[in-house]
Amino acid sequence: MSQEKIRVIVAKPGLDGHDRGAKVVARALRDAGMEVIYTGLRQTPEMIAEAALQEDVDAVGLSVLSGAHMALVPRILELLKANGQDKVGVFIGGIIPDEDIPRLAEMGVAGVYGPGTRTDDIVQDIQKFAGQKS
Amino acid sequence: MPVAVEDVLAGNRLALARLLSQIENDTAEGRQILNELFPHSGQAALIGVTGAPGTGKSSLVNQIAYHYRHPADGRQPKRVAVVAVDPSSPFSGGAVLGDRIRMHSLSGDPDVFIRSMASRGSLGGLARATAGLVQAFDAAGFEIILIETVGAGQAEVEIARLAHTTLVVEAPGLGDDVQAIKAGILEIADILVVNKADRPGVEQTERALRGMLQLAHPGKRQYHHGRLISAPEPEEKPLNEPEWVPPIQRTVATEGNGVSELLALIDQHRDYLKQTGELARREAARLTAEVDLLVEAGLVDRWRRGLANGWYQEVLARVMNREISPRQAAAKLTASKREEG
Ligand SMILES: Nc1nc2c(ncn2[C@@H]2O[C@H](COP(=O)(O)OP(=O)(O)OP(=O)(O)O)[C@@H](O)[C@H]2O)c(=O)[nH]1
Ligand SMILES: [Mg+2]
C-alpha cells in the first residue's frame, strides 16, 4: 500500500500575461489525485528548477504563450540536469509552432500540448510518465 | 535512488528533498534515515504560522524568512526552512499547493529551503509527516523552521504542539473570522498578528483580539497555557516566574511593515521559553508523547498479529448479538490465553 503521490510543478515562465490555462491544468491534475505545486506567473528558469528540486517533483508543467519557449525550455532542462533531476519530465502547454515540436522532443521534452488539448490527455501522459520512471 | 545520511548532513539539497518525500510516504528507508538523523536534531527554532485562509500567512512567512536571511542589525543570517501545509482534496486525494506563489523573494538563496506539503489522509499521518520533515530540516542545519498551516482545526493544534512559538494571523475585513478564532486557536497563540494593517478595520480587529486575550489571561498570576500538552500544573511553577501574555503585532506582509518588530517578539518569546525552562518542558512532553504513541501503535500491531484467525470477528459478532459487552469483548481479546465461553 504505497502512499506515494505524483508531484508536479505547474509554472508560468516568461513575462507574458495570464495563467488561466495553467490553473485549469493544475486543477485537472489535482482532480486526478496528483499534488500540484503551483508557483504562479513570471517564473525564471532558475526559480522553476529550484522549486522542482526542493519539492522533489516527478514532472514540471510549463505554460508558455510568449513564444519564448525555444529560449526558456533548454535552460530549464539544463538546470534540472545540473541539479541531478534529469529524470524529471518536462511538459509544455501553450502556443507552440508545429515545427518546434520535434526540436523540443529532441531536447528531451516529454510532451507538448497546443490550445484545445483535453486535460485528460495531459493527465494520462503524466501518469504514464511517472509510472515508467523509477 | 537511496538517500545517504551523510549527504543530507553535508547540505546536499537533492538528497534532502528526496528524504522529505520518503518521510511523507512513510517508507522504511525514510524511517531508518530519521533514526540516524535524530541525534543531530534539536537545535532549530520551530515557528508555527496559522490562521484563517487568505489572512496573509504565506506572505508573512516570506517576510519573516527574508528578515532572518537579511538581518538589519548586523547579526548573522540564519538558515531558514519552510514547511507549507495545504489541504488535500477529500475527493481525489490530490492537492494544489499554492503557498510558494508568495515566497518569491526567497528564491535563489541556497540557505532557504521551501517545501510544500499536502495534508493527505489522516490527522495522525499529517502530524507524523510534519514532525519528520521538521526533524530532517533541523538535522540538516536549518536554524529557523517556519511551519504554515491553514485554519483553526485539530490539525493546527497538533502542529502547534510541535512548534516552539506559534503565530496566529488575523486580518481585518474577513467578517466573523475573529469569532471563529475564539474556538480554541487563541489557546495555541504565543503571538497574535494582525496582518493587512493597511486595510480599514484594523482597530476593530485588534480590539476584538484584545478583548479575547483579556478573557484568556485575566490575572497577572495566571499560568500561560500555551500548549495543550500534559504540562506541569501551574502550582509547580514558582510564583515569581514571569507570565507570557501573547502580544499583538500589526503587519503589512506585502510591504514588510512591522516584520522587524515581529521578529523581535519571536526572539523574546524564545528567550522566555529558555529562561523559564518551558522550552525543555515542552520538548520533554512532546518527545514523551511521541514515544508513547509509537509504543501504543507497536503494541496494538503485535497484538493484532498474535490474534488467532477469525477470533476477532467472532468476538465482535457476540457483541453485536448483545451476548457480551464491549468491555468483556476487549478483556477476551487481550487476555494472554484464549478462553472459550
Ligand atoms: N493589503 C494587503 N494584502 C495582503 C497583505 N498580506 C497579504 N496580502 C494579500 O492577501 C492575499 C493572500 O495572501 P497569502 O499570503 O497567500 O495568504 P495565506 O494566508 O497564505 O493564504 P492561504 O494559504 O490560501 O490560506 C494575497 O493577495 C496577498 O497579496 C497585507 O498586509 N496587506
Ligand atoms: Mg498560504
Side-chain angles (χ1 to χ4, degrees):
Chain A
M1 196 196 69
S2 170
Q3 299 185 22
E4 230 167 285
K5 298 266 179 199
I6 299 174
R7 286 170 69 85
V8 187
I9 281 189
V10 172
K12 179 94 186 56
L15 297 174
D16 59 298
H18 67 83
D19 59 351
R20 241 173 293 141
K23 279 184 175 156
V24 169
V25 172
R27 276 186 220 112
L29 300 177
R30 174 199 62 195
D31 293 342
M34 300 183 202
E35 291 180 352
V36 182
I37 295 100
Y38 191 71
T39 58
L41 291 163
R42 285 185 286 281
Q43 298 284 290
T44 64
E46 285 73 16
M47 289 160 98
I48 292 168
E50 180 182 54
L53 179 70
Q54 294 176 353
E55 303 288 357
D56 186 28
V57 293
D58 304 285
V60 173
L62 303 171
S63 160
V64 193
L65 301 169
S66 60
H69 50 276
M70 293 313 276
L72 292 167
V73 174
R75 179 76 184 132
I76 291 169
L77 289 165
E78 185 184 301
L79 289 167
L80 286 172
K81 198 166 174 192
N83 286 342
Q85 287 192 302
D86 33 355
K87 293 222 176 71
V88 169
V90 175
F91 296 79
I92 308 173
I95 302 164
I96 313 284
D98 283 347
E99 64 265 29
D100 287 345
I101 296 177
R103 292 171 63 198
L104 289 167
E106 221 166 278
M107 290 175 201
V109 169
V112 179
Y113 307 91
T117 306
R118 292 173 47 232
T119 51
D120 284 358
D121 293 338
I122 305 177
V123 166
Q124 274 168 20
D125 287 358
I126 294 181
Q127 279 169 337
K128 211 165 117 205
F129 177 86
Q132 282 167 355
K133 232 191 33 168
S134 72
Chain B
M1 195 188 297
V3 177
V5 177
E6 309 79 66
D7 288 344
V8 175
L9 291 173
N12 180 318
R13 287 147 62 86
L14 182 59
L16 176 58
R18 290 201 169 137
L19 170 62
L20 301 178
S21 304
Q22 301 268 10
I23 294 168
E24 270 202 274
N25 296 334
D26 200 16
T27 65
E29 191 192 338
R31 291 177 179 194
Q32 176 56 35
I33 296 176
L34 274 185
N35 290 344
E36 292 176 47
L37 288 179
F38 185 74
H40 300 274
S41 67
Q43 306 301 313
L46 316 185
I47 304 166
V49 179
T50 191
T55 46
K57 299 176 293 298
S58 300
S59 310
L60 201 60
V61 164
N62 179 58
Q63 287 288 350
I64 295 170
Y66 191 85
H67 276 68
Y68 275 118
R69 293 299 304 144
H70 305 271
D73 51 5
R75 282 194 288 181
Q76 281 292 97
K78 298 252 171 70
R79 297 185 69 209
V80 183
V82 176
V83 180
V85 185
D86 274 324
S88 296
S89 154
F91 305 108
S92 70
V96 174
L97 311 169
D99 295 317
R100 287 189 87 99
I101 298 174
R102 310 284 166 215
M103 302 186 189
H104 288 332
S105 26
L106 306 172
S107 67
D109 185 341
D111 286 316
V112 174
F113 199 115
I114 305 168
R115 181 68 172 219
S116 312
M117 186 165 83
S119 58
R120 295 197 182 176
S122 66
L123 188 57
L126 174 61
R128 177 199 54 72
T130 313
L133 256 60
V134 164
Q135 195 188 308
F137 277 130
D138 186 348
F142 288 90
E143 299 160 284
I144 301 286
I145 303 174
L146 293 153
I147 310 160
E148 175 184 341
T149 52
V150 195
Q154 191 56 36
E156 283 64 41
V157 175
E158 287 291 320
I159 290 168
R161 281 171 57 164
L162 189 71
H164 301 137
T165 302
T166 298
L167 275 49
V168 171
V169 185
E170 263 298 320
L174 286 178
D176 54 3
D177 68 315
V178 173
Q179 286 300 110
I181 222 174
K182 255 199 294 200
I185 199 153
L186 219 60
E187 296 264 318
I188 64 170
D190 296 307
I191 299 171
L192 287 158
V193 180
V194 180
N195 188 43
K196 306 198 185 184
D198 54 332
R199 293 268 191 86
V202 216
E203 285 80 13
Q204 278 149 274
T205 306
E206 202 177 309
R207 210 176 310 124
L209 285 173
R210 228 174 262 296
M212 281 175 230
L213 273 181
Q214 215 103 69
L215 289 175
H217 302 264
K220 275 230 149 51
R221 275 276 87 95
Q222 206 210 358
Y223 175 72
H224 170 56
H225 297 276
R227 291 295 177 281
L228 307 172
I229 49 175
S230 49
E233 289 304 306
E235 302 81 84
E236 289 177 28
K237 298 187 80 183
L239 278 176
N240 58 3
E241 213 161 81
E243 175 202 8
W244 180 266
V245 177
I248 300 177
Q249 177 65 47
R250 290 187 191 185
T251 56
V252 182
T254 39
E255 309 289 329
N257 304 352
V259 178
S260 326
E261 291 85 345
L262 181 58
L263 253 71
L265 289 173
I266 294 171
D267 288 350
Q268 270 175 38
H269 183 251
R270 192 158 182 82
D271 289 344
Y272 159 83
L273 289 178
K274 281 187 180 156
Q275 279 162 17
T276 56
E278 180 68 14
L279 191 63
R281 273 195 291 271
R282 283 185 191 188
E283 202 62 7
R286 185 167 71 74
L287 292 174
T288 308
E290 195 173 333
V291 171
D292 285 355
L293 266 178
L294 290 168
V295 168
E296 276 167 37
L299 285 175
V300 168
D301 197 48
R302 195 200 296 175
W303 164 78
R304 237 179 244 293
R305 275 185 281 125
L307 277 181
N309 240 348
W311 173 227
Y312 185 71
Q313 271 69 29
E314 217 174 283
V315 173
L316 273 189
R318 295 184 60 195
V319 178
M320 313 296 173
N321 291 335
R322 292 280 192 288
E323 285 170 37
I324 56 173
S325 75
R327 191 179 296 278
Q328 287 169 311
K332 268 186 196 310
L333 288 168
T334 53
S336 49
K337 266 211 210 127
R338 181 173 164 175
E339 297 158 30
E340 298 302 329

